């Protein structure tokens, strides 16, 4: 991003900055009782904390080995806590199932044994394309026990995103449903020779697949957990870039040190907590904090299979007596829309701590939660690449509504400017720059699969550059400004324009396509596409609708464009790149920035 463009972003967001400094005067002070009860009770406690200490909070395995699933499940059973409820699953239908830590150990041992019987051991790439059903959680932890690498795919993906990720990730084995297999995998399976087995959770007799339940019933229950090394690959999370294919961010078993510590210090998990992370494991939050952190901390986690519904959510919070709740701004905006009156009909007195991640959480939402729940949402910041929470509003820290909070003890964060290879610190408070982190924390991604240059480009001058623009105030609180690139963020999903454009281009009528994000009250942003048509094709409303349908079918509703505009031409640079930035600026009436490379004006 050019400096001019950066300035444009900064000035475009300046109004928001003013709003936030107004909100800062409405700081929410924590009571002495809140502070005393918090796992990180006061600022000075930070001085004694860091990665060495966090590492000692875990058990580890002999010989310096470390395995996420061991820390999440087996060690609790070994310490006599196997009877504690680990997982409480709420089905869409109203059914519910409960699993103790001992149950989870038995299920994951058996699943790991099945993988190993099928010949999938250390390093096997285990993909899941499932909704939030118990099999997903058993597969994730069982795969880690077997020494495999787990890669969760969001179940709303259409066939193209599934195929791209499984191909890049060289999937060895997939666990999915009969319907998703038939629709999203079977048509191209022959072109992915690495994919040796497909486990089906709800169907028998499907050609070329294994009936999971029946096979597990015949599998020996015992399994000796594979002693993985801290640097062994454990998780593969896909995230989208501005150009090119989705990136597979590599995480290792050592990441569990950060998951555990942030579960304890940021989400403030205590032994007796009932914790609900509403994120889907297809997004990194749903794995780091919807599977690993709650289990390593030995709490009970609630999993809801259903999609968002305000009434249902309040019922869950009340009935399940949820004490710690981790959700996202999109959902919070919908709850605000549903009204405080609905919240008031429920007894939410059990709720002790509420946190939010994924997008900027506006000051108004924090103040709303303080009014309605009597406690604020605690915003925190991280990304797929950081693997765990880096900056947060901690339980004992006063909340400045609109701010992301302060770095986790052990995390060194800074605001920097980048000029070529030069990285300079921005010391002046409330000055926009790029958010940077000092490399070396355990959950830091270890690479983008098969893309070394892309990985290397994330590090400069001894810093990891996050690609986000932010500011730090005089008290050390961080304030989010915006993303420094074109990636679209919709309802918690990062959407790369390239992926959407490629699918639009598959349509016989389309010559070229460019997509941008446009602000949306509910989703944060939604995808808007601009297309030009092939020679001789006439634009029409029927064609536009056909394109919308095509994109939806191929990409799934979460990623497909909501709006498509047919244009005679698209703006492009002299080197042939479509200028999405310009399309967006014009769409939103923002400054157009540097147009020196513009070739065609549309
Ligand atoms: P993902 O890798 O999908 O988790 O997306 C990471 C990106 O989401 C970050 O780089 C930010 O742009 C955005 N993000 C995450 N948390 C926050 C937050 N608390 N405030 C503002 N933006 C956030």
């Amino acid at each position: 991003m050019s400096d001019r463009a950066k300035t444009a972003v900064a000035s475009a967001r300046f109004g928001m900055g003013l709003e936030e400094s107004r909100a800062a005067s409405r700081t929410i002070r924590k009571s002495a009782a809140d502070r005393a009860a918090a796992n990180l009770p006061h600022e000075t406690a930070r001085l004694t904390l860091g990665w060495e200490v966090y590492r000692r909070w875990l058990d580890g395995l002999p010989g310096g080995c470390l395995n996420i699933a061991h820390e999440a499940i087996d060690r609790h059973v070994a310490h006599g806590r196997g009877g504690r409820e680990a997982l409480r699953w709420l089905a869409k239908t109203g059914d519910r199932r409960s699993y103790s830590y001992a149950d989870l150990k038995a299920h994951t041992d058996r699943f790991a044994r099945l993988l190993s019987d099928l010949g999938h051991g250390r390093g096997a790439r285990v993909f899941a394309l499932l909704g939030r059903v118990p099999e997903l959680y058993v597969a994730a932890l069982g795969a880690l026990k077997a020494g495999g690498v787990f890669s969760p795919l969001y179940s709303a993906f259409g066939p193209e995103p599934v195929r791209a990720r499984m191909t890049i990730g060289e999937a060895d084995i997939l666990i999915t449903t009969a319907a998703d297999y038939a629709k999203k995998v079977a048509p191209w399976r022959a072109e992915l020779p690495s994919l040796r087995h497909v486990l089906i959770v709800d169907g028998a007799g499907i050609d070329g697949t294994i009936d999971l339940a029946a096979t597990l019933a015949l599998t020996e229950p015992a399994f000796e957990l594979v002693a993985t090394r801290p640097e062994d690959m454990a998780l593969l999370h896909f995230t989208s870039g501005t150009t090119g294919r989705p990136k597979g961010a590599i995480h290792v078993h050592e990441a569990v040190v950060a998951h555990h510590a942030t579960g304890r210090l940021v989400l403030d998990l205590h032994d007796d907590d009932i914790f609900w992370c509403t994120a889907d494991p297809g997004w990194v939050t749903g794995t780091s904090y919807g599977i690993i952190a709650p289990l390593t901390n030995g709490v009970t986690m609630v999993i809801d299979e259903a999609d968002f519904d305000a009434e249902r959510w309040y019922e869950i919070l009340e009935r399940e007596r949820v004490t710690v709740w981790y959700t996202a701004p999109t959902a919070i905006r919908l709850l605000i829309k549903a009204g405080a009156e609905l919240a008031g009909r429920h007894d939410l007195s059990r709720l002790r701590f509420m946190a939010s991640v994924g997008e900027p959480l506006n000051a108004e939402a924090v103040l709303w939660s303080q009014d309605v729940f009597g406690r604020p949402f605690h915003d925190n910041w991280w990304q797929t690449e950081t693997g765990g929470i880096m900056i947060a509003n901690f339980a004992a820290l006063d909340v400045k509504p609109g701010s992301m909070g302060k770095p986790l003890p052990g995390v060194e964060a800074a605001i920097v400017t980048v000029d070529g290879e030069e990285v300079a610190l921005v010391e002046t408070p409330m000055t926009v720059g790029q958010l940077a982190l000092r490399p070396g924390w355990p959950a830091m991604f270890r690479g983008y699969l098969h893309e070394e240059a892309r990985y290397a480009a994330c590090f400069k001058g001894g810093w990891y550059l996050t690609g986000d623009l932010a500011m730090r105030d005089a008290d050390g609180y961080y304030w989010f400004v915006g993303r420094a690139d074109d990636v679209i963020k919709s309802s918690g999903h990062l959407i790369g324009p390239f992926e959407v454009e490629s699918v639009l281009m598959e349509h016989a009528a389309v010559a070229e396509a460019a997509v941008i994000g446009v602000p949306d009250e509910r989703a944060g942003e939604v995808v808007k596409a601009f297309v030009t048509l092939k020679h001789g094709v006439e634009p029409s409303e029927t064609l536009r609708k056909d394109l919308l349908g095509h994109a939806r079918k191929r990409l799934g509703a979460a990623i497909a464009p909501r709006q498509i505009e047919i244009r005679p031409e698209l703006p492009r640079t002299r080197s042939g790149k479509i200028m999405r930035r310009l399309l967006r600026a014009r769409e939103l009436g923002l400054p157009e920035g540097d147009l020196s490379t513009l070739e065609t004006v549309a």
Side-chain angles (χ1 to χ4, degrees):
M1 189 184 211
S2 71
D3 285 338
R4 288 270 292 279
K6 260 187 212 162
T7 315
V9 173
S11 55
R13 297 284 184 147
F14 190 57
M16 192 180 85
L18 286 178
E19 175 58 23
E20 281 160 349
S21 42
R22 189 171 68 86
S25 66
R26 293 178 279 178
T27 297
I28 297 166
R29 307 258 170 228
K30 294 298 175 68
S31 69
D34 277 347
R35 284 179 210 280
N39 283 339
L40 180 59
H42 46 76
E43 283 290 283
T44 44
R46 297 171 154 268
L47 302 174
T48 55
L49 292 171
W51 301 115
E52 283 303 308
V53 175
Y54 305 154
R55 180 70 181 74
R56 291 200 293 274
W57 290 348
L58 296 172
D59 283 6
L61 292 167
C65 291
L66 185 66
N67 183 291
I68 295 175
H70 173 79
E71 302 303 327
I73 308 173
D74 293 13
R75 74 174 178 130
H76 300 302
V77 178
H79 291 299
R81 297 192 299 263
R84 171 120 175 85
E85 187 181 17
L87 202 150
R88 190 181 293 173
W89 179 65
L90 312 174
K92 277 180 193 161
T93 54
D95 284 354
R96 50 192 293 135
R97 273 190 236 161
S98 171
Y99 299 79
S100 66
Y101 278 87
D103 294 336
L104 211 49
K105 175 166 177 1
H107 282 287
T108 51
D109 280 353
R110 202 184 278 259
F111 186 86
R113 178 64 185 254
L114 169 62
L115 289 183
S116 132
D117 288 352
L118 290 170
H120 301 287
R122 278 183 192 272
R125 304 274 168 77
V126 183
F127 277 67
L129 178 64
L130 287 174
R132 290 182 294 279
V133 292
E135 289 86 347
L136 171 62
Y137 298 81
V138 169
L141 294 155
L144 295 170
K145 282 191 166 180
V149 177
F150 182 68
S151 188
L153 298 179
Y154 185 67
S155 68
F157 278 149
E160 279 313 307
V162 171
R163 179 185 178 152
R165 285 158 181 76
M166 287 180 64
T167 304
I168 296 167
E170 294 153 322
D172 290 303
I173 180 162
L174 170 71
I175 170 164
T176 188
T177 61
D180 275 349
Y181 176 68
K183 212 164 52 193
K184 301 175 181 174
V185 180
W188 53 265
R189 180 174 175 183
E191 290 155 53
L192 186 59
S194 69
L195 183 61
R196 287 198 289 129
H197 296 108
V198 175
L199 306 175
I200 301 289
V201 296
D202 60 350
I206 303 163
D207 218 19
T209 71
I210 295 170
D211 173 355
L212 179 65
T215 315
L216 278 174
L218 301 173
T219 302
E220 287 292 321
F223 184 74
E224 193 170 335
L225 180 138
V226 172
T228 41
R229 289 172 299 270
E231 285 302 312
D232 284 349
M233 199 195 295
L235 300 162
L236 190 57
H237 279 295
F238 285 92
T239 177
S240 299
T242 30
T243 54
R245 305 186 302 169
K247 302 173 277 190
I250 297 168
H251 289 285
V252 298
H253 280 273
E254 175 85 358
V256 69
V257 175
H259 297 147
H260 182 73
T262 48
R264 178 161 160 175
L265 297 180
V266 177
L267 301 176
D268 200 43
L269 294 174
H270 289 60
D271 277 351
D272 54 353
D273 271 321
I274 297 178
F275 172 69
W276 185 24
C277 169
T278 61
D280 188 278
W283 175 32
V284 68
T285 302
T287 301
S288 294
Y289 298 98
I291 306 180
I292 302 170
L295 295 179
T296 64
N297 280 282
V299 306
T300 298
M301 65 179 198
V302 171
I303 298 163
D304 182 28
E305 186 193 11
D307 288 333
F308 176 86
D309 176 88
E311 177 93 55
R312 181 181 171 96
W313 276 32
Y314 285 129
E315 273 167 22
I316 290 175
L317 291 168
E318 178 177 8
R319 189 186 58 233
E320 307 304 329
R321 302 158 82 84
V322 172
T323 54
V324 180
W325 180 30
Y326 194 23
T327 190
T330 313
I332 297 169
R333 285 194 285 268
L334 289 170
L335 290 176
I336 294 175
K337 199 152 184 230
E341 196 262 331
L342 183 61
R345 275 194 247 142
H346 297 268
D347 173 8
L348 306 174
S349 56
R350 286 272 162 169
L351 262 181
R352 179 174 66 70
F353 188 78
M354 310 180 336
S356 163
V357 72
E359 289 169 285
L361 183 66
N362 0 54
E364 295 318 314
V366 177
L367 296 167
W368 176 83
S369 62
Q370 178 71 20
D371 279 352
V372 173
F373 301 105
R375 49 188 66 73
F377 273 109
H378 295 77
D379 187 21
N380 56 62
W381 177 96
W382 60 291
Q383 49 183 202
T384 304
E385 287 82 352
T386 70
I389 300 166
M390 298 280 106
I391 295 178
N393 286 283
F394 296 82
L397 188 69
D398 292 341
V399 176
K400 294 192 189 185
S403 156
M404 309 191 288
K406 293 187 176 186
L408 176 82
V411 168
E412 188 184 345
I415 302 293
V416 302
T417 53
V418 184
D419 183 7
E421 289 305 307
E422 289 291 303
V423 177
L425 290 179
V426 176
E427 307 278 8
T428 321
M430 293 311 262
T431 306
V432 177
Q434 189 165 170
L435 178 60
L437 301 166
R438 186 74 77 190
W441 70 96
M444 187 178 92
F445 69 138
R446 300 298 198 269
Y448 289 126
L449 196 66
H450 308 312
E451 297 201 67
E452 277 164 35
R454 222 172 177 184
Y455 182 65
C458 299
F459 300 87
K460 270 187 191 157
W463 292 95
Y464 163 65
L465 303 173
T466 66
D468 280 352
L469 303 177
M471 307 179 282
R472 186 182 48 221
D473 70 18
D475 299 326
Y477 285 71
Y478 282 74
W479 299 78
F480 184 78
V481 172
R483 284 184 69 76
D485 60 23
D486 284 333
V487 173
I488 300 157
K489 196 82 204 274
S490 186
S491 301
H493 305 286
L494 268 193
I495 302 172
F498 178 77
E499 199 172 8
V500 180
E501 289 159 9
S502 306
V503 162
L504 287 168
M505 303 266 298
E506 284 171 5
H507 193 284
V510 174
E512 52 186 359
V515 313
I516 60 167
V518 292
D520 178 83
E521 205 188 319
R522 282 200 194 168
E525 280 187 307
V526 293
V527 177
K528 172 161 186 175
F530 300 86
V531 299
T532 61
L533 301 179
K534 287 195 182 138
H535 198 62
V537 182
E538 283 304 314
S540 69
E541 185 55 15
T542 318
L543 173 60
R544 208 183 59 80
K545 286 201 174 129
D546 192 48
L547 285 171
L548 282 167
H550 163 79
R552 226 182 137 88
K553 194 164 138 230
R554 298 287 290 187
L555 295 162
I559 296 183
R562 298 274 177 89
Q563 304 164 34
I564 296 184
E565 199 174 297
I566 301 173
R567 289 259 177 112
E569 240 183 310
L570 295 176
R572 66 179 72 251
T573 63
R574 288 177 198 284
S575 58
K577 289 196 191 71
I578 294 172
M579 293 184 79
R580 296 179 193 84
R581 169 173 67 76
L582 181 57
L583 279 171
R584 189 161 195 276
R586 289 185 177 166
E587 184 72 20
L588 306 183
L590 297 174
E592 292 189 351
D594 179 9
L595 298 184
S596 58
T597 59
L598 184 67
E599 187 184 333
T600 50
V601 181

